Amino acid sequence: MIEKKGVITGLIAYVKKVYSAWIDYPLQEGKLLHGQYRILRFLGLGSYGLTYLCQDIRTGTELVVKQAKPSKGQLGRDLLRQETEIMRQLQHPSIPSCLSSFQENKHMFMVMHYVKGRTVEDLIFERGAKFSEEEALILIRKLMQVVLYLHKMGFVHRDIRIPNVILQGERIHLIDFGLAARIGDPALQDDGTDEALQRRRATEVTSDLYAIGHFVLFMLYSTFESSEVLVESVKSWEEELELTPATKRMLRKLLQVDASYTSTQAFIDELEAILA
C-alpha cells in the first residue's frame, strides 16, 4: 500500500511538472499583443513571470513586456499587479520605467522600457570578466545608490542577483522587481522554511543587504583559482578568498554572520570608508 501511494505521488508530481511546462510555454515570435506590441524574441522565464522583447508597432520602439506566469494562477497575477504598482512609483534613471499594463485572453501583462547592456551574470559566465576586490566594491557603490533610493521610497527589491543587474557603459541598472514589496508588508508568496531564502525574502532592508553580500561574493570568486588537486573538505569564502580585513568585516555583516548593518546608509558609509 505504501509503495502504491509512493508511485501515485510521483505520478502526480510528474503530471504537474509536464502541465506547468506546457502552460508556461513562451508565446511565439511575431505574435501581436494588445494590438500594439509585436514579440521579437523571448528573453527569459522567472519564478513568476515570462519576459519578451517586443516592438511597439506604432512607434518602432523596442520594449519589454512581462507576462504573469500562467501556472502560478492568481498568485502570479497578484505579484505582477504589485510589481506594476511599485514600478509606477519609482522614477530613477537606473530603474526601468513601467509604461502600461493590460490583460489579454485572461493573461496579465506589463510593459516596461528596454534596458540594453549585459548582466553581471553574462559578463562573468559568458565573457569571462574578472572583478578584483576594488572593482567589485566600486560596482557595489554604484548599485547601492539605486538600492538606497529604493529603500527611501519605502520598498525592498528582495531579488538582487547578478542576472538582475545590467551594466550599460558606466551606468548600472537594477531590473526585475517581480518580488519587490513595501517595507514591512507581508510577503505574497510562501518561500518555505529555507533559512537563506527567508533572509533574502524578508520585507526589510536587511534582505537586500544580505543579497548584496552574495552579489559581492559572486564577483570576488570570478578571480578565484583553487590550487588544490583534490578537495577533501568544503572551505568557507573567508578561507578561500584573499581579502583585506575591512572587506571581510563588511561581508560578515552583510551575510549576517555578525550583527547586520542598522541601515542602508550605515553600510554605504562603511563601503565609502573602505574605498577611501
Side-chain angles (χ1 to χ4, degrees):
M1 185 58 126
I2 295 176
E3 184 179 347
K4 186 177 180 180
K5 284 185 177 180
V7 172
I8 293 174
T9 301
L11 181 60
I12 292 173
Y14 174 74
V15 170
K16 285 183 177 179
K17 185 176 181 181
V18 171
Y19 175 73
S20 293
W22 172 75
I23 197 173
D24 291 333
Y25 195 79
L27 300 173
Q28 291 185 337
E29 292 181 5
K31 181 178 178 62
L32 190 64
L33 298 172
H34 202 50
Q36 185 174 354
Y37 309 108
R38 189 174 304 283
I39 296 177
L40 300 179
R41 71 173 187 270
F42 176 59
L43 292 177
L45 174 69
S47 299
Y48 297 94
L50 299 89
T51 54
Y52 307 89
L53 177 64
C54 296
Q55 184 180 52
D56 186 332
I57 62 172
R58 300 178 185 178
T59 64
T61 307
E62 289 186 344
L63 302 164
V64 170
V65 175
K66 185 172 185 178
Q67 175 190 5
K69 199 173 183 179
S71 65
K72 294 299 181 180
Q74 189 59 47
L75 174 60
R77 292 189 290 274
D78 287 344
L79 282 168
L80 187 60
R81 189 174 293 107
Q82 177 175 271
E83 181 179 4
T84 302
E85 292 172 355
I86 289 174
M87 293 192 69
R88 281 176 171 162
Q89 298 178 59
L90 303 176
Q91 301 291 329
H92 193 283
S94 291
I95 296 175
S97 299
C98 173
L99 302 174
S100 65
S101 62
F102 61 90
Q103 292 192 45
E104 185 169 280
N105 297 325
K106 298 182 180 179
H107 295 294
M108 186 174 177
F109 299 85
M110 176 177 66
V111 184
M112 299 172 285
H113 276 128
Y114 173 48
V115 179
K116 295 182 179 179
R118 290 200 171 268
T119 67
V120 175
E121 182 180 56
D122 290 340
L123 290 173
I124 292 175
F125 293 108
E126 293 183 11
R127 294 299 183 93
K130 296 184 182 299
F131 294 90
S132 66
E133 181 178 339
E134 183 179 14
E135 288 169 338
L137 297 185
I138 289 174
L139 189 150
I140 289 298
R141 178 169 60 184
K142 289 183 179 180
L143 178 58
M144 286 310 301
Q145 297 309 310
V146 188
V147 176
L148 180 63
Y149 165 79
L150 183 64
H151 291 175
K152 284 184 175 180
M153 290 295 292
F155 302 106
V156 281
H157 189 277
R158 302 199 309 149
D159 199 23
I160 300 176
R161 299 180 294 119
I162 56 175
N164 290 338
V165 173
I166 292 177
L167 296 184
Q168 185 186 59
E170 293 299 312
R171 175 165 286 179
I172 196 166
H173 296 267
L174 180 60
I175 64 171
D176 196 349
F177 285 70
L179 293 177
R182 183 169 290 281
I183 295 173
D185 277 1
L188 286 177
Q189 81 290 356
D190 179 14
D191 288 312
T193 58
D194 182 85
E195 184 179 351
L197 192 56
Q198 286 185 336
R199 288 182 181 182
R200 280 182 177 272
R201 298 291 185 256
T203 56
E204 304 294 339
V205 297
T206 52
S207 66
D208 283 347
L209 296 181
Y210 181 76
I212 288 290
H214 286 278
F215 195 105
V216 175
L217 286 181
F218 263 106
M219 288 191 289
L220 295 176
Y221 267 103
S222 67
T223 62
F224 175 73
E225 293 181 7
S226 177
S227 59
E228 297 181 15
V229 178
L230 180 64
V231 179
E232 296 181 354
S233 61
V234 178
K235 292 184 177 180
S236 70
W237 60 268
E238 292 183 88
E239 296 171 304
E240 290 185 327
L241 298 175
E242 295 184 8
L243 303 173
T244 61
T247 297
K248 277 189 176 182
R249 286 195 299 271
M250 178 196 76
L251 278 168
R252 286 178 64 88
K253 292 180 184 179
L254 289 172
L255 298 172
Q256 300 177 20
V257 178
D258 295 336
S260 185
Y261 290 97
T262 55
S263 68
T264 310
Q265 189 61 56
F267 164 57
I268 293 174
D269 290 344
E270 186 163 330
L271 178 61
E272 292 284 2
I274 293 172
L275 284 170

